[in-house]
Amino acid sequence: MNEITVADTVFFRIAVFYSLMAGVLLMGCKTEKEPRRFLFLGHPYEWGTEDQVDPRLEAFDYEPYEAVWLGGDVCARTAKDPATMDYLDSVFNLERTHWALGNHDWDYGERENVLSRLPSPPYYTVWEDGFCLTVLNTNLFWPYPSTPPQENCADKMAQWQMVQNVADTISESTHWVILHHHALFSDLMVEPQGGDTLRAFNVNPAPFFTTCDSLFELTAAWYPELVRVKQRGVEVVCIGGDFGMRAKQFEFQTPEGIWLLGSGINNTVSREYAPDYVTDFGPDHILELWYQEGRLEWTFVPLGGD
């Protein structure tokens, strides 16, 4: 039997120590959380159809994403036929979506066909385990320089009060993400060097009235609330889906630090017969976002197949 020396004992202890450390490191790697991934799709309908999305989205793999955020105008006539919602459920799984309704989802049919199948009301706010998510129904807004019509007044005021309540109470969230369809704060999207207002969204309304009261113009009434939240240390990110005809992607930060993003799909339109207001035929983009340890990041990714 060989004699165990002091050197052997020291070596053994060192080997055990490093083995334990390696195990701890491996356990740490295994337990580290992956980023939460989200996918935003704006204006994804297929031109020339009433009830279909871009074929590339039918074949898309949504499994890596925790949720799909829809920026509206999902089909050209979403509300016309109740079967359209069955089709969209088969594509996106509506229970794992947040949907900011567009005018093509709101008009051109029976709204109840859409509203009865949504997993949530047409405007709402939810806590997303670290950040606050608000979904707006901008179809309630009035995008014309005239007195807003006295209709849907209760809903308009309730949506405004929801935004104001979030601005008053948000504290633990790292971010306030606002999903919408129509362009918000178009009059703030100005080139850094000055000059013309950026016209990236399909429609860029200004003024934009948010209630039945003409004093509730969007930028004047709502923007200071967002700035107030930003000043308390919560990042504010607005993401719009009425996009893709004039530009495929948009990223703009106001002087006060509010992020305004836009992303849209549009290239199923025939270039030969495209309307004059369709001016960008570059690659379609989708917007990928990920959230981890209080950080929200994003990137615009070409959809492919153009």
Side-chain angles (χ1 to χ4, degrees):
M1 183 174 179
N2 296 331
E3 181 179 352
I4 299 176
T5 65
V6 172
D8 292 331
T9 303
V10 172
F11 178 82
F12 175 78
R13 289 176 177 176
I14 292 174
V16 170
F17 172 79
Y18 279 107
S19 295
L20 290 172
M21 289 299 296
V24 169
L25 291 174
L26 286 173
M27 289 177 63
C29 292
K30 290 180 181 179
T31 58
E32 183 179 351
K33 289 184 177 180
E34 293 292 325
R36 300 167 59 198
R37 297 177 63 188
F38 306 94
L39 178 68
F40 178 84
L41 303 173
H43 199 278
Y45 69 72
E46 181 181 11
W47 280 74
T49 71
E50 295 184 338
D51 55 1
Q52 303 288 311
V53 298
D54 189 304
R56 293 170 293 179
L57 296 180
E58 292 180 330
F60 195 84
D61 180 14
Y62 300 97
E63 188 61 30
Y65 303 98
E66 179 177 318
V68 177
W69 297 347
L70 299 173
D73 286 358
V74 178
C75 290
R77 299 290 186 270
T78 311
K80 185 175 180 179
D81 187 342
T84 301
M85 295 298 285
D86 294 327
Y87 159 75
L88 293 176
D89 190 31
S90 71
V91 175
F92 299 118
N93 183 1
L94 295 179
E95 287 297 327
R96 62 193 294 259
T97 65
H98 290 289
W99 186 343
L101 295 169
N103 50 294
H104 284 267
D105 311 316
W106 187 250
D107 300 322
Y108 313 115
E110 296 294 331
R111 292 173 186 168
E112 192 59 27
N113 290 337
V114 174
L115 297 179
S116 63
R117 296 292 304 278
L118 292 178
S120 303
Y123 55 89
Y124 57 94
T125 296
V126 293
W127 166 255
E128 283 288 335
D129 193 21
F131 65 93
C132 183
L133 178 68
T134 291
V135 178
L136 297 179
N137 181 9
T138 54
N139 295 289
L140 295 174
F141 297 172
W142 183 247
Y144 304 103
S146 59
T147 302
Q150 302 302 296
E151 58 187 28
N152 301 315
C153 295
D155 268 334
K156 293 176 181 179
M157 183 56 69
Q159 184 169 232
W160 155 245
Q161 290 173 340
M162 175 188 71
V163 169
Q164 193 172 43
N165 287 340
V166 174
D168 287 340
T169 60
I170 191 170
S171 59
E172 297 183 5
S173 298
T174 60
H175 294 74
W176 184 12
V177 179
I178 301 174
L179 303 185
H180 57 95
H181 178 66
H182 299 93
L184 303 185
F185 314 120
S186 294
D187 48 340
L188 299 180
M189 301 177 191
V190 180
E191 295 285 0
Q193 298 81 13
D196 293 338
T197 300
L198 297 172
R199 297 293 178 182
F201 279 78
N202 297 341
V203 179
N204 301 270
F208 208 2
F209 299 105
T210 61
T211 73
C212 290
D213 188 337
S214 58
L215 295 178
F216 278 79
E217 194 279 323
L218 176 68
T219 301
W222 288 38
Y223 187 69
E225 300 297 319
L226 274 58
V227 172
R228 187 158 61 93
V229 170
K230 167 65 177 176
Q231 290 173 343
R232 296 210 305 270
V234 179
E235 296 294 331
V236 181
V237 182
C238 301
I239 310 176
D242 190 22
F243 221 82
M245 296 182 184
R246 298 174 180 268
K248 302 299 184 178
Q249 64 184 61
F250 181 73
E251 181 180 30
F252 181 82
Q253 190 174 33
T254 70
E256 293 77 19
I258 308 300
W259 284 102
L260 306 176
L261 308 180
S263 178
I265 299 165
N266 194 57
N267 279 357
T268 56
V269 63
S270 168
R271 299 193 182 194
E272 183 179 359
Y273 301 106
D276 292 340
Y277 52 80
V278 178
T279 58
D280 190 333
F281 295 96
D284 281 329
H285 283 72
I286 56 178
L287 176 59
E288 292 188 350
L289 305 98
W290 55 97
Y291 183 80
Q292 185 179 36
E293 297 180 352
R295 295 181 59 188
L296 179 67
E297 299 180 358
W298 56 81
T299 186
F300 297 92
V301 180
L303 181 55
D306 287 317

